[in-house]
Amino acid sequence: MSRKGRKLVVDSLTRSAKHFTKSEVECLVKLFDTLVAKASSQFAGAGFDRTVFRDTLYNAFGMTDDAVLDRVFSTFDKDNTGCITVEEWVEGLAVLLRGTLEEKMKYCFAIYDLNGDGYISKEEMFQMLKHSLLIQPADEEPDEGVKDLVEIALKKMDYDHDGKLSFTDFEKAVRDENLLLEAFGPCLPDIKSSMSFEQKIFRETPK
Amino acid sequence: MPAGAAAVPAVPVTPARPHGNAAGHGGARRGRRGPRVSFPRWAPVTLRGQLKGKDIDYERKGDLYKDIVTFLRGRSPRFIENMAKQEYSMSKEPAHKKNYQHVEGAEISGQSQSHHNLTEKTECEKGKSSSAGPTGHSVKPYMKWKSSGLSASQGSDKFPKKGSEERKSRTVSLTTKKKASGKSKSVKIQEASKGKASVSFEDVSESSSETDEDEQPVRRQEGSTDLSAEYWGIQKLAKYVKGGDPTATLIALCSMRDFNLSEETCQLAIKDTGCLEVLINLLDTEEIKCQTGSLKILKEISQNMLIRHAIADLGGLEIMVKILDSPDTDLKCLAAETIANVAKFKRARKTVRKHGGIKRLVELLESISMGSSYQAKDTETVRCAALALWSCSKSTKNKKAIRKAGGIPLLARWLKCAHANILIPIVGTLQECASEPSYRLAIRTEGMIESLVKNLSSEHEELQRHCASAIFKCAEDEEIRDLVRKHEGLQPLSALLDKSENKQLLAAVTGAIWKCAISRENVLKFQEYKTVETLVTLLTDQPEEVLINVIGALGECCQEEENRGTIRRSGGIAPMVNLLTATNPALLVNVNKAVGGCAMEPENMAIIDSLDGVRLLWSLLKNPNPDVQASAAWALCPCIENAKNSGEMVRSFVGGLELIVNLLKSNDKEVLTSVCAAIANIAKDEENLAVMTDHGVVPLLSKLANTNNNKLRRHLAEAIAHCCMWGSNRVAFGDTKAVAPLARYLKAKDPLVHRATALALYQLSEDPNNCVIMHENGVVKLLLAMVGSTDDILQEAAAGCIANIRRLALATEKAKYG
């Protein structure tokens, strides 16, 4: 990207992504450029693909679950092109690193709403929780424990008792108990890794 | 994968990236948790409790289990499950696997299973004589171990389940061996030879349980009556807390909070399902969300005393102290608040200190500057840290630790803030620490009195109470009493007397008034606010801690003449005299002082006499507490002085004179002093003096003569002076060697001693032998100086004594030279 083009991008992003200062945006754009360079040139320098994205998030935040990372990729990749552009990159990270509770709730809900129909269904919960039990009581149906857990989660969060979680349900539950923000699997960086990421990336700011 | 996780091969881990440097979340946690759940947790803890056996703490320290099997299972079901599972997956022990499944199936249960379990349990409880608790068959009270292990009659109770237990225990011991620590080996030995060996085991590690056994069954049974929905509900969730990855754990933790955790049933259910251990183990992971979830539960259930002790025993405090360094503010707050709950007993407070908790908590107060911009989150941190410090500050060493960590200026700083929820723990800490002179000094010099006075007018009664209580403790120091007055704190204190329905507040307020009334200027202020009248109304129908302070305050106030009349006019004498029949020594001391104060007024004395107050005072001389004896003797002095026909009154108390003379054998200086003063007054009546002489008052007084205590010297000399007036007592004092020491009293610095001594010497000098001794001891020169005193009585007595000595000398000369 040309020097001038980059400056324009930075300026417009500083305006749109309100959680970052200008110098921080510059750093993120710089990181973006590095990643694009690393990726195959399939998108002609406009962005990078899923693999690079996954590796980056894995390295930065220790996020390991492929299924979750795929979902994170989809929420970043708003236009669904399979390519993360610089805007998508900065805006996505804004939520991850500095998002308000509101933004994070929307983000997490989107992650958990696997089919994007606006509800987290029992099946979706099952899908997300199926590996969460490390000990299966062997005389039960293998999935019995998970189904049970889904019921527990539903009982806790399904305020309107329709057997699935709408965003309203989810929002209400999270406001009542913030821990439920990541109820169906970690999809946000934890405080230590996000702190060290910010330190690492933003410290290199040329002042 | 970290090494820890690698050692636990069977545990499923969230898929790790092939080139990854960090393990999956589940793996990381598992790796840490595995070894922790294994045995070592409890062993050092129980040992520690034992070593500290000298501190008698009547609260229960350890858990009680029926036998080693239930103990192991109760302590770390996680361990059993986890390890047994591994055995299974590694397919090395297929036989055990089967057993394990069977048992575990029964325990964690589907609906039908749980029903079966319940029935089994009820039967089991019937079998047990008294002790079965709200337990699955996983945890049972430990207390009857000895008997059930040894005696045949009780042993049979165990049979229904023995088989499964033993199978399970074998699994345990095998897996324990795998972990191969010294401790686990010893356990295995216990396993192998249950029975006699187990007794020795008990001797080694549970010595403290003996005192606990008494109170134990009652509590446990209370829980067992309610073994129902909550218990099974919690057990079901516990399964996911124990056996899930962080996500499942989190869901289960959040759901668990929907139970009413302030109820004892739920609290004990969490403990009895073995969930408590897991909650504490979760704290030691890197999973902030699980830590938070766990602490949210621990914070609630630690209201329960049993849980508090269990948390401390499981090493929870150490981990929570570590969490105070966490970057996550919410987590820090929760840890501090839970510490505040747990540190309600001595050992826990010590643990917090030993692990650097005090320093960290103080740092939390410092980390937030109290500028205008601090947010809700910050005040929460300060509030929680202050709460924890408050709990900790009940130990003297912790008070010092807070000071050393630089806590005092921070307390002073936050004392100026406006949030009641911060002020309450801050002032709470201060009033707790005000028992230390260094804190009282700081409270004075750092200008804290002003803030304390200001908050007396707060709308929060709890805050008012702690402020009053802080003043109560501080106002032992005169300068602080003056400061309270200068900052106009006396008026709000008086006003708070109207809130007489809040007894705790009233106790603190009356305490503050009492101590402040020690300064005369303050009493004058109180007169202005009509405090004395209000105090008199509080003399009836109040709890003891209020009465002590009210009567203490009145005792101070009636040192001021005007107030003695006020007390009488507002009808205070009768309730005061009634209180002479109380039993609490602290109360009696204050009542005696107040009655004595009132008796200085003849009009009051008439009322006291009519209510038989003197007899009551006199009988308090028989109280075993020396403070009560002394205060009663002091109070008798003005009574005898001001009562009409006091001589006859005194004689009417059968055995009374013998009693008071015998108190001269006391070891307590204050008792001796006060009794001397009383005897001096009693001896003014000749008949009574004669009786006292018969009871041997002279040699007893003489025996006390060799003292350096000026107060005792003064009253002793007075008593001697008055006791000279009968029979051959003057000679007797000389014979019992009282004269020479008395002569030395003239060298004392106290003019009151001089006066009393001169009076005594004057009386004694009527006997020629005494004159010789006095002369030998060089009194003439000292007395000559005192003849020049401005004190008439001293002057006269000194002159009289010299005259007697001189007269003797002249007579001798005359006899010698004719």
Side-chain angles (χ1 to χ4, degrees):
Chain A
M1 206 185 293
S2 72
R3 218 177 160 74
K4 201 181 168 193
R6 192 162 137 190
K7 192 173 177 302
L8 280 173
V9 168
V10 168
D11 285 347
S12 81
L13 282 176
T14 310
R15 278 192 299 275
S16 60
K18 51 187 179 298
H19 295 307
F20 292 122
T21 64
K22 188 174 174 185
S23 68
E24 283 168 342
V25 172
E26 272 168 13
C27 291
L28 290 174
V29 172
K30 201 173 144 201
L31 175 67
F32 177 80
D33 289 345
T34 325
L35 293 173
V36 170
K38 213 166 87 184
S40 58
S41 58
Q42 161 183 14
F43 301 110
F48 52 81
D49 63 3
R50 192 176 287 258
T51 325
V52 175
F53 180 80
R54 278 204 239 164
D55 284 350
T56 310
L57 256 64
Y58 168 72
N59 285 323
F61 304 130
M63 293 165 88
T64 51
D65 191 328
D66 280 340
V68 170
L69 282 173
D70 276 343
R71 298 293 309 151
V72 176
F73 181 82
S74 321
T75 51
F76 270 62
D77 183 19
K78 291 206 179 80
D79 50 9
N80 217 4
T81 54
C83 159
I84 304 287
T85 65
V86 69
E87 288 85 5
E88 288 168 347
W89 172 244
V90 174
E91 277 162 19
L93 280 181
V95 175
L96 250 56
L97 294 171
R98 307 270 172 94
T100 60
L101 182 63
E102 199 92 80
E103 290 166 340
K104 284 181 177 169
M105 280 193 293
K106 280 187 188 141
Y107 162 83
C108 288
F109 189 82
I111 299 267
Y112 299 143
D113 179 11
L114 301 178
N115 62 5
D117 67 348
Y119 291 100
I120 306 176
S121 66
K122 276 194 196 182
E123 291 71 29
E124 284 166 333
M125 287 185 213
F126 184 87
Q127 192 64 26
M128 292 181 283
L129 295 175
K130 67 181 173 192
H131 297 299
S132 69
L133 294 188
L134 306 178
I135 294 171
Q136 300 282 356
D139 62 337
E140 286 177 22
E141 287 279 309
D143 292 340
E144 205 54 46
V146 181
K147 280 185 185 155
D148 222 18
L149 188 61
V150 168
E151 289 303 325
I152 291 172
L154 206 59
K155 189 181 160 212
K156 174 86 192 161
M157 302 171 78
D158 182 17
Y159 283 89
D160 54 13
H161 303 292
D162 60 356
K164 54 190 180 181
L165 295 187
S166 62
F167 182 72
T168 321
D169 287 333
F170 185 73
E171 186 183 12
K172 215 167 165 185
V174 174
R175 286 205 190 279
D176 180 54
E177 173 54 87
N178 289 349
L179 289 174
L180 290 171
L181 183 61
E182 294 178 79
F184 304 108
C187 52
L188 287 165
D190 67 54
I191 187 167
K192 278 181 191 150
S193 55
S194 64
M195 273 164 71
S196 66
F197 175 81
E198 288 196 23
Q199 212 182 8
K200 194 173 138 214
I201 301 302
F202 296 151
R203 203 186 38 195
E204 292 160 3
T205 317
K207 297 245 165 174
Chain B
M1 294 279 289
V8 189
V11 175
V13 178
T14 36
R17 311 291 297 174
H19 55 288
N21 52 354
H25 290 72
R29 188 181 72 160
R30 196 38 49 104
R32 298 188 54 121
R33 232 214 264 178
R36 157 162 284 285
V37 176
S38 66
F39 214 58
R41 259 297 138 211
W42 62 273
V45 173
T46 21
L47 272 176
R48 211 187 299 146
Q50 188 199 16
L51 288 173
K52 256 180 37 83
K54 277 176 191 167
D55 285 340
I56 298 176
D57 186 350
Y58 291 101
E59 287 186 349
R60 186 164 151 277
K61 284 190 179 151
D63 284 14
L64 302 175
Y65 292 92
K66 191 170 112 303
D67 57 27
I68 185 66
V69 183
T70 46
F71 174 69
L72 246 185
R73 292 164 66 200
R75 279 291 162 166
S76 78
R78 188 83 192 86
F79 164 76
I80 299 167
E81 287 177 18
N82 204 5
M83 294 305 159
K85 193 70 188 171
Q86 282 168 47
E87 289 292 343
Y88 168 37
S89 319
M90 286 161 71
S91 322
K92 277 184 182 169
E93 300 279 344
H96 293 159
K97 158 210 140 189
K98 261 195 175 165
N99 296 333
Y100 168 71
Q101 281 173 4
H102 169 75
V103 173
E104 210 48 36
E107 185 168 2
I108 45 187
S109 79
Q111 288 293 71
S112 59
Q113 288 280 16
S114 72
H115 180 70
H116 160 74
N117 226 354
L118 184 59
T119 338
E120 184 182 36
K121 261 197 51 54
T122 344
E123 275 166 19
C124 188
E125 264 160 38
K126 271 180 220 154
K128 292 273 175 232
S129 54
S130 66
S131 58
T135 58
H137 65 215
S138 63
V139 184
K140 276 207 246 80
Y142 177 70
M143 76 212 85
K144 295 299 176 199
W145 184 11
K146 215 183 239 172
S147 49
S148 64
L150 288 176
S151 83
S153 63
Q154 288 247 329
S156 61
D157 293 339
K158 276 179 42 182
F159 283 143
K161 270 190 281 169
K162 202 179 172 190
S164 66
E165 270 179 9
E166 237 161 30
R167 262 175 282 150
K168 188 161 180 177
S169 69
R170 204 169 305 144
T171 327
V172 171
S173 65
L174 277 167
T175 47
T176 314
K177 198 170 71 180
K178 268 212 132 43
K179 277 285 158 188
S181 75
K183 280 158 201 151
S184 58
K185 233 176 248 172
S186 74
V187 173
K188 209 202 148 214
I189 295 165
Q190 300 305 335
E191 285 296 336
S193 55
K194 272 201 234 183
K196 281 193 180 166
S198 65
V199 176
S200 68
F201 173 74
E202 186 183 47
D203 288 345
V204 171
S205 66
E206 286 287 334
S207 66
S208 67
S209 69
E210 239 135 79
T211 44
D212 303 331
E213 270 182 347
D214 303 330
E215 37 182 9
Q216 188 59 13
V218 184
R219 261 188 250 130
R220 301 290 285 197
Q221 262 186 341
E222 224 172 86
S224 73
T225 53
D226 262 321
L227 180 73
S228 55
E230 288 95 346
Y231 180 80
W232 298 114
I234 283 174
Q235 197 188 45
K236 186 176 159 194
L237 290 175
K239 183 176 71 171
Y240 295 105
V241 177
K242 292 175 194 174
D245 75 349
T247 305
T249 301
L250 195 64
I251 293 175
L253 288 176
C254 291
S255 298
M256 205 173 273
R257 292 194 61 221
D258 286 343
F259 284 92
N260 185 354
L261 294 177
S262 57
E263 252 174 40
E264 197 182 24
T265 338
C266 296
Q267 295 164 345
L268 292 180
I270 288 176
K271 179 166 168 289
D272 294 334
T273 50
C275 200
L276 188 60
E277 288 83 347
V278 187
L279 289 176
I280 288 169
N281 291 339
L282 280 173
L283 297 182
D284 210 8
T285 63
E286 297 283 314
E287 281 292 330
I288 291 183
K289 288 187 294 285
C290 288
Q291 288 175 304
T292 310
S294 163
L295 274 175
K296 281 183 173 175
I297 294 173
L298 287 174
K299 185 185 95 179
E300 297 295 326
I301 63 176
S302 55
Q303 312 275 352
N304 182 306
M305 191 193 78
L306 287 172
I307 304 279
R308 288 204 282 274
H309 282 256
I311 292 175
D313 289 341
L314 291 165
L317 284 167
E318 290 88 330
I319 311 175
M320 287 191 275
V321 167
K322 249 187 266 164
I323 290 178
L324 294 176
D325 288 336
S326 161
D328 188 293
T329 313
D330 289 341
L331 191 59
K332 273 193 289 201
C333 290
L334 285 166
E337 214 176 340
T338 313
I339 290 175
N341 283 342
V342 176
K344 293 268 160 68
F345 58 104
K346 202 175 163 187
R347 187 163 50 86
R349 290 193 283 265
K350 186 176 173 186
T351 310
V352 174
R353 182 180 69 246
K354 292 276 178 201
H355 289 81
I358 303 287
K359 203 166 157 271
R360 286 181 168 96
L361 288 168
V362 170
E363 277 163 11
L364 284 186
L365 290 186
E366 189 160 32
S367 57
I368 291 111
S369 57
M370 212 189 72
S372 51
S373 64
Y374 60 84
Q375 300 161 342
K377 230 178 186 181
D378 299 335
T379 59
E380 179 68 4
T381 311
V382 173
R383 185 184 73 88
C384 295
L387 275 174
L389 284 175
W390 185 12
S391 289
C392 289
S393 66
K394 290 184 174 81
S395 296
T396 317
K397 282 190 185 162
N398 284 352
K399 290 172 193 170
K400 288 196 182 112
I402 294 174
R403 180 165 51 84
K404 278 191 191 140
I408 297 181
L410 293 168
L411 289 171
R413 187 211 285 174
W414 286 105
L415 187 59
K416 293 196 174 74
C417 85
H419 303 268
N421 59 355
I422 291 182
L423 281 168
I424 289 170
I426 291 282
V427 180
T429 312
L430 275 174
Q431 64 94 11
E432 209 58 69
C433 291
S435 57
E436 295 283 299
S438 56
Y439 276 89
R440 293 204 289 270
L441 181 71
I443 286 172
R444 182 163 50 106
T445 54
E446 305 245 357
M448 291 193 240
I449 292 292
E450 188 178 2
S451 312
L452 290 173
V453 165
K454 189 180 134 220
N455 285 313
L456 280 177
S457 312
S458 152
E459 56 192 17
H460 297 264
E461 292 195 353
E462 196 185 356
L463 181 54
Q464 293 176 316
R465 166 158 67 94
H466 295 313
C467 288
S469 172
I471 294 175
F472 180 13
K473 288 183 183 166
C474 289
E476 295 278 355
D477 297 356
E478 191 180 353
E479 283 159 87
I480 290 187
R481 294 198 288 269
D482 293 341
L483 279 174
V484 173
R485 183 180 65 254
K486 278 174 196 148
H487 290 297
E488 298 176 338
L490 301 175
Q491 206 266 329
L493 278 175
S494 304
L496 280 173
L497 288 178
D498 295 335
K499 294 200 177 179
S500 55
E501 65 289 346
N502 182 340
K503 298 303 175 194
Q504 283 179 306
L505 175 60
L506 192 59
V509 169
T510 48
I513 291 179
W514 169 20
K515 293 301 174 183
C516 286
I518 296 171
S519 291
R520 195 170 166 269
E521 291 98 323
N522 290 354
V523 176
L524 295 177
K525 280 278 173 194
F526 283 135
Q527 276 167 230
E528 218 174 276
Y529 306 135
K530 306 255 177 255
T531 313
V532 177
E533 285 89 332
T534 321
L535 284 172
V536 166
T537 63
L538 296 173
L539 279 173
T540 42
D541 300 326
Q542 297 296 337
E544 224 161 48
E545 65 264 27
V546 175
L547 280 176
I548 292 174
N549 299 340
V550 169
I551 200 90
L554 286 173
E556 294 301 336
C557 287
C558 66
Q559 303 305 314
E560 204 58 39
E561 201 180 337
E562 196 185 323
N563 291 326
R564 292 174 212 150
T566 311
I567 292 173
R568 182 186 67 245
R569 281 188 295 277
S570 26
I573 307 272
M576 247 187 225
V577 171
N578 273 339
L579 285 173
L580 287 172
T581 55
T583 50
N584 181 330
L587 176 57
L588 282 173
V589 167
N590 287 354
V591 177
N592 287 343
K593 183 164 186 195
V595 171
C598 287
M600 286 189 266
E601 189 90 358
E603 255 184 275
N604 292 355
M605 190 54 227
I607 303 177
I608 294 173
D609 198 10
S610 71
L611 295 166
D612 218 7
V614 185
R615 181 188 298 277
L616 291 170
L617 275 176
W618 205 289
S619 49
L620 286 176
L621 293 175
K622 282 189 271 194
N623 193 292
N625 185 312
D627 294 337
V628 176
Q629 293 173 346
S631 58
W634 282 123
L636 282 172
C637 297
C639 289
I640 294 163
E641 219 166 297
N642 292 320
K644 280 181 185 157
N645 303 323
S646 70
E648 208 158 301
M649 174 183 77
V650 170
R651 270 193 296 288
S652 71
F653 305 140
V654 178
L657 289 169
E658 184 179 5
L659 173 68
I660 202 162
V661 169
N662 280 329
L663 277 180
L664 289 174
K665 294 171 187 162
S666 168
N667 294 318
D668 188 284
K669 277 265 147 58
E670 189 64 19
V671 172
L672 293 173
T673 312
S674 59
V675 168
C676 283
I679 287 177
N681 276 305
I682 297 166
K684 287 174 192 164
D685 181 277
E686 208 175 35
E687 242 178 276
N688 290 337
L689 173 56
V691 178
M692 288 200 292
T693 308
D694 290 346
H695 289 303
V697 74
V698 173
L700 284 169
L701 287 174
S702 300
K703 219 170 157 190
L704 299 175
N706 280 310
T707 176
N708 292 320
N709 181 319
N710 276 342
K711 200 176 170 198
L712 176 56
R713 281 174 163 186
R714 172 185 158 201
H715 293 286
L716 177 63
E718 261 170 28
I720 290 176
H722 283 102
C723 286
C724 282
M725 312 290 198
W726 178 252
S728 58
N729 282 359
R730 292 190 183 84
V731 181
F733 278 119
D735 293 345
T736 48
K737 305 200 175 7
V739 180
L742 269 178
R744 287 199 290 278
Y745 291 4
L746 292 176
K747 291 176 191 154
K749 296 266 186 291
D750 185 350
L752 289 169
V753 175
H754 294 166
R755 182 208 275 196
T757 309
L759 281 167
L761 290 176
Y762 174 48
Q763 288 301 327
L764 290 168
S765 64
E766 304 274 322
D767 175 57
N769 284 329
N770 290 343
C771 286
V772 174
I773 303 170
M774 283 180 218
H775 191 260
E776 280 168 1
N777 283 282
V779 298
V780 178
K781 201 175 163 196
L782 293 165
L783 285 173
L784 272 174
M786 288 170 195
V787 172
S789 160
T790 48
D791 178 352
D792 288 351
I793 298 172
L794 171 60
Q795 205 180 28
E796 211 172 305
C801 186
I802 292 171
N804 282 338
I805 295 173
R806 185 67 201 142
R807 232 172 266 137
L808 176 68
L810 284 173
T812 325
E813 265 173 45
K814 206 172 182 183
K816 254 189 195 166
Y817 307 109

